[in-house]
Amino acid sequence: MKNCVVTASYSCPPQKVWLYLTNPNLNHWRTDLSGAEVASDGSSITEHTKDGGVIEVKVLESEKARRLRCSFTHGRVHGTFIAILLGGGDATSLECTLEVEGMGLFAKPRKGLEERLEMLRRAMGK
């Protein structure tokens, strides 16, 4: 199992960051996806990657605009993702923890997480 923790800051309220984290279709911020299906109750997300893969995400814990905990499966790779949002008003600090199994010896989960947080930054224009 590989673990990593990444922190990012955004110049917007936590509610906006929360909306993007829970909906990969919002303004097409996830440029690595060809599409995503979000359950009406927000309990699961099926993400379709541009290379034809499917990522199944299950929301395990959701405290709106404060904490999000999910499990995911992408082929043989599976793990958990935890996002904690701190701040208010015009600033948000986002701390993400990623635990991944099945990636192989030389995989770099931190790099993938940092790429997604950069996609989020570009989508929000900050």
Side-chain angles (χ1 to χ4, degrees), residues 10 12-15 65-66 84-94:
Y10 300 95
C12 63
Q15 293 81 358
R66 290 289 167 217
I84 299 173
L85 292 89
L86 304 168
D90 294 352
T92 301
S93 178
L94 175 64

Side-chain angles (χ1 to χ4, degrees), residues 36-50:
E37 299 152 12
V38 181
S40 60
D41 63 355
S43 65
S44 66
I45 303 168
T46 302
E47 301 174 342
H48 301 279
T49 62
K50 289 184 176 179

Side-chain angles (χ1 to χ4, degrees), residues 3-62:
N3 301 323
C4 69
V5 177
V6 177
T7 303
S9 297
Y10 300 95
S11 300
C12 63
Q15 293 81 358
K16 185 174 181 181
V17 177
W18 174 266
L19 287 174
Y20 277 87
L21 286 176
T22 58
N23 188 351
N25 291 321
L26 190 60
N27 291 331
H28 305 287
W29 76 273
R30 288 284 305 278
T31 57
D32 59 329
L33 300 179
S34 61
E37 299 152 12
V38 181
S40 60
D41 63 355
S43 65
S44 66
I45 303 168
T46 302
E47 301 174 342
H48 301 279
T49 62
K50 289 184 176 179
D51 65 2
V54 175
I55 303 170
E56 294 290 337
V57 179
K58 301 287 181 207
V59 177
L60 305 173
E61 183 181 343
S62 175

